[in-house]
Amino acid sequence: MPLDTSTYSLALLRLDGRRWNELRRLNAQISTQAAADGSSYLEMGNTKVICTVTGPAELKSTGGARAGGDKADVRVEISIAGFSGVDRKKRGRNDKRVSEMQTTISNAFAQSLFTNLYPHSSISLSLHILSQDGSLLAACLNACTLALIDAGVPMRDYICACTAGSTSSYSSNDEQADPLLDLNGIEEQELPFLTVGTLGNSDKVSVLVMETRVQVGRLEGMLAVGVDGCKQVREILDQVVRKRGVKILEGSQL
Amino acid sequence: MAPSASTQQILLSPAELSYLHTSLSLHPPIRPDGRSATDFRPLHAETELLPGTYGSARICFADGTEAVVGVKAEVEKSVPSYVGHGEGGGGDEEKGRNEWVEIGVEIPGMRDDDSMPVFLAAMLSESLLADGAFTARLWINSRFHWKLYLDILLLSQPLSYPLPLLSLTTHLALLSTRLPKLKSEQDEDPLFDDDWDASVHLYPAGSAKPSVTLLVMAVKDNIIFDPSKEELSVAEVVLAVSIASDSASAASGGMEVDSGAGRQLTLLAVRTIDPPSRLTHPGVPNSLNTATGGTAAASLEQENSKREGLHEEGVWQPPRGGAKRKLIAGMIAKVLEKGGVGEEVLDGLDAVELG
């Protein structure tokens, strides 16, 4: 689907009316499901994700001998609903793109969680994508962070993620290209973008995924904008967690 | 029919099962959560929560189980049918086919070809398609029709048998489903109004409603509605009963009074479900226990045959054999009864605000 993004240079406004450094509306709820150990619901624009955490629980080992190592196993299961996209599309269990996202998320949280506190156990994250409009991996990472906080799994800091792109495509080789923050679905189809996740307030990058081609000169700008966006995301997630904390405190005083 | 062994592990001892069974067979039954036999668990429902779908709904039960249903539609070319075309073709107009609806059930931790999702999808589609009026709504003209995809997601672990939850959510999602308004006429290629505000409901207000499947179980002669997981583990009979309110009476009832007193329920489908109680371990009566002065049976057959004769109070025995016809008839009658549970559920669902 060819898309005309050349109008950006006229008013410096993107297709949905945002400026280059503006996030979409980020809305999150924590502890949405009573039956799960931890759960969260996150909206980044029109991307909607539900995450539930089970565990830390005893490993269900299928083969008797392999009883897990001295660290907890982080398992991620992503299911993309058939109705989530524009056209109805059913994805198989072993879709390559989905399994790569699962590995990325699992690796990221295996580093940031104190998995050594739970030997021989597993923490399973299950993600349901109800609606997708860009920044899928970033939304999943943010939802997982919130659900893990709800489940009370000790972690070093939040993993906050967002995407960053560049205003012109690789082939147009435009020198004037500006970096963009938090791309939506239409922009993602057209423009080069990366997903970056940082650990808390620091500039430490824990996740960086890029699947499109871009001139190496633009990469630094994109990364800087992305890391900056992650800090904004952290603020929002932190407020959600604090609001929940205040609610729990009020409940306990009664 | 549904092999529920893998999903519904019963972590109750024979003594606990026996206690539960006894209290459920009292008159009136005492349920673990203090409900009466016909009470439903409270639920939260909302519709039209996903803007990218034609219709969607979400229901949360109080025990934490949660389901989301999204409906997507596509225009598809009809395969010409040669059956019945010879007789002028006037008779079989606006007739739907069952392939026009595709239902998929997704349960976390299960593959989509596992027996449980497949069985649930089959049961749900069976009751939805039973009246034949549903697929007729998808007819556009003799060359085109809507293809409806119903994706049913269970978001939590299946704590109790999820059939009623999924069925109620599907019901609400179908009620909230809207399709674009048709602008073309007759057998032209279909052209639709691109104004979403002008779209028409798949089930317009006042017309017949999609079916609802309820779970009913019996312990001795007590009929219990909306069983929880623990209650299912001692059930002797479990039935899935699909009902719908009659279209004609619903319309006239709406005209007379808005109390819904004129609602006439029709039975669409009944399925027996293999109760998970059959997989439980039996208790050991004193007469078969060497520790209490009895004599243990030499072989498994002997033990079983001895147990047949025993009906000791307080010793759990998994139910054997089928259900009595009278009991099944009683269960169905109780669902369809005027002012009964079926009506109560449909009234409750009507109260959910659409849009």
Side-chain angles (χ1 to χ4, degrees):
Chain A
M1 186 174 68
L3 173 81
D4 190 20
T5 43
S6 56
T7 51
Y8 176 77
S9 55
L10 298 177
L12 298 183
L13 287 175
R14 288 150 73 177
L15 289 167
D16 48 8
R18 284 182 290 154
R19 292 190 192 283
W20 64 275
N21 61 349
E22 284 174 343
L23 285 172
R24 289 178 287 172
R25 201 169 67 99
L26 183 68
N27 202 357
Q29 286 170 32
I30 195 166
S31 157
T32 48
Q33 200 183 91
D37 291 326
S39 56
S40 67
Y41 171 74
L42 186 113
E43 286 178 10
M44 278 177 98
N46 276 327
T47 302
K48 299 178 184 187
V49 181
I50 286 180
C51 180
T52 55
V53 179
T54 319
E58 198 180 340
L59 258 183
K60 276 184 209 147
S61 57
T62 41
R66 295 178 291 118
D70 51 358
K71 280 184 175 180
D73 202 7
V74 182
R75 295 173 181 185
V76 183
E77 198 184 322
I78 299 178
S79 71
I80 300 183
F83 51 76
S84 61
V86 177
D87 291 318
R88 198 253 180 197
K89 197 160 101 190
K90 193 107 184 144
R91 280 182 193 250
R93 284 275 146 164
N94 33 23
D95 186 290
K96 286 272 166 54
R97 185 170 286 263
V98 172
S99 57
E100 195 182 328
M101 283 203 333
Q102 288 173 350
T103 332
T104 310
I105 295 171
S106 147
N107 286 344
F109 283 102
Q111 297 300 316
S112 84
L113 298 175
F114 289 108
T115 47
N116 56 329
L117 299 178
Y118 304 101
H120 307 292
S121 50
S122 75
I123 300 166
S124 47
L125 295 154
S126 109
L127 286 151
H128 294 270
I129 288 143
L130 300 181
S131 162
Q132 42 178 333
D133 183 28
S135 311
L136 201 55
L137 179 60
C140 288
L141 282 164
N142 293 333
C144 286
T145 300
L146 287 180
L148 284 166
I149 290 170
D150 184 35
V153 182
M155 58 170 75
R156 293 189 169 79
D157 209 331
Y158 299 5
I159 289 186
C160 306
C162 70
T163 55
S166 183
T167 45
S168 71
S169 61
Y170 174 75
S171 52
S172 65
N173 207 1
D174 185 1
E175 288 299 308
Q176 306 295 309
D178 282 338
L180 293 177
L181 183 64
D182 194 19
L183 274 67
N184 65 23
I186 307 167
E187 287 170 330
E188 264 187 15
Q189 285 178 359
E190 177 79 355
L191 302 172
F193 72 99
L194 52 80
T195 302
V196 58
T198 61
L199 197 64
N201 254 337
S202 64
D203 283 341
K204 284 179 191 150
V205 173
S206 63
V207 183
L208 183 59
V209 177
M210 181 158 190
E211 291 169 340
T212 43
R213 288 152 66 92
V214 72
Q215 276 81 5
V216 75
R218 296 193 211 157
L219 190 65
E220 197 186 340
M222 284 162 68
L223 200 54
V225 167
V227 168
D228 202 47
C230 290
K231 284 183 183 157
Q232 293 181 45
V233 172
R234 195 203 126 94
E235 279 307 304
I236 298 168
L237 298 189
D238 200 40
Q239 273 166 24
V240 172
V241 174
R242 279 173 197 279
K243 211 189 274 174
R244 173 76 191 158
V246 168
K247 219 172 169 183
I248 291 173
L249 274 179
E250 281 171 354
S252 68
Q253 281 167 356
L254 292 173
Chain B
M1 289 200 79
S4 40
S6 56
T7 54
Q8 300 184 321
Q9 276 183 339
I10 301 149
L11 298 169
L12 294 175
S13 67
E16 286 167 318
L17 288 170
S18 162
Y19 175 79
L20 203 55
H21 184 265
T22 314
S23 57
L24 284 177
S25 54
L26 294 171
H27 290 277
I30 298 171
R31 302 175 72 168
D33 43 11
R35 288 181 285 162
S36 80
T38 54
D39 264 356
F40 271 72
R41 286 169 287 185
L43 55 85
H44 291 277
E46 58 176 319
T47 57
E48 293 184 34
L49 65 157
L50 300 170
T53 59
Y54 288 76
S56 55
R58 165 177 168 267
I59 288 188
C60 264
F61 270 170
D63 65 351
T65 50
E66 186 178 4
V68 171
V69 173
V71 182
K72 278 273 193 191
E74 277 171 17
V75 174
E76 215 179 48
K77 240 185 174 137
S78 303
V79 185
S81 74
Y82 298 102
V83 188
H85 240 272
E87 298 130 39
D92 63 348
E93 259 196 10
E94 300 214 15
K95 213 171 189 185
R97 293 198 191 190
N98 289 355
E99 309 94 85
W100 295 358
V101 182
E102 201 179 299
I103 294 183
V105 175
E106 223 174 278
I107 295 176
M110 283 197 202
R111 294 154 52 100
D112 31 347
D113 53 354
D114 266 347
S115 56
M116 176 118 154
V118 171
F119 185 71
L120 286 172
M123 271 211 281
L124 287 169
S125 56
E126 185 181 78
S127 69
L128 278 176
L129 301 173
D131 58 350
F134 174 42
T135 45
R137 292 171 192 276
L138 304 175
W139 192 89
I140 298 174
N141 57 36
S142 64
R143 293 192 298 130
F144 291 93
H145 64 261
W146 286 106
K147 169 117 185 176
L148 218 60
Y149 295 95
L150 282 163
D151 284 291
I152 304 173
L153 308 183
L154 189 68
L155 297 182
S156 56
Q157 297 298 317
L159 290 180
S160 56
Y161 201 68
L163 181 67
L165 171 69
L166 300 185
S167 163
L168 295 183
T169 321
T170 311
H171 175 96
L172 284 181
L174 281 174
L175 280 183
S176 75
T177 300
R178 289 193 284 173
L179 297 173
K181 195 181 175 193
L182 190 66
K183 268 171 43 181
S184 60
E185 289 170 0
Q186 298 293 325
D187 281 357
E188 288 172 4
D189 283 1
L191 181 71
F192 297 98
D193 198 336
D194 55 7
D195 186 2
W196 185 245
D197 286 335
S199 59
V200 283
H201 277 279
L202 183 63
Y203 283 92
S207 77
K209 298 273 170 73
S211 69
V212 167
T213 306
L214 301 176
L215 212 56
V216 192
M217 68 168 234
V219 174
K220 288 198 175 158
D221 52 351
N222 275 335
I223 298 167
I224 293 167
F225 286 89
D226 191 26
S228 66
K229 185 192 181 192
E230 291 79 25
E231 288 165 338
L232 275 175
S233 65
V234 297
E236 284 163 8
V237 192
V238 184
L239 282 190
V241 184
S242 304
I243 52 167
S245 59
D246 214 11
S247 55
S249 65
S252 68
M255 260 181 262
E256 284 164 18
V257 243
D258 53 353
S259 65
R263 195 193 288 279
Q264 187 78 41
L265 296 180
T266 42
L267 182 71
L268 294 175
V270 179
R271 279 260 194 177
T272 56
I273 291 166
D274 201 10
S277 51
R278 291 189 203 274
L279 304 167
T280 53
H281 282 288
V284 183
N286 281 348
S287 57
L288 289 176
N289 189 354
T290 42
T292 53
T295 44
S299 69
L300 202 66
E301 288 94 63
Q302 271 185 32
E303 193 184 327
N304 282 341
S305 65
K306 269 193 184 170
R307 227 182 235 138
E308 291 287 328
L310 284 172
H311 277 293
E312 223 172 301
E313 192 63 24
V315 179
W316 169 246
Q317 292 218 25
R320 286 182 304 264
K324 292 196 176 67
R325 286 187 185 198
K326 214 174 134 190
L327 182 64
I328 290 190
M331 289 164 87
I332 294 170
K334 200 136 188 203
V335 175
L336 295 176
E337 197 172 66
K338 236 182 199 324
V341 178
E343 247 177 51
E344 190 189 315
V345 169
L346 288 172
D347 285 342
L349 287 173
D350 280 350
V352 177
E353 226 167 272
L354 291 175

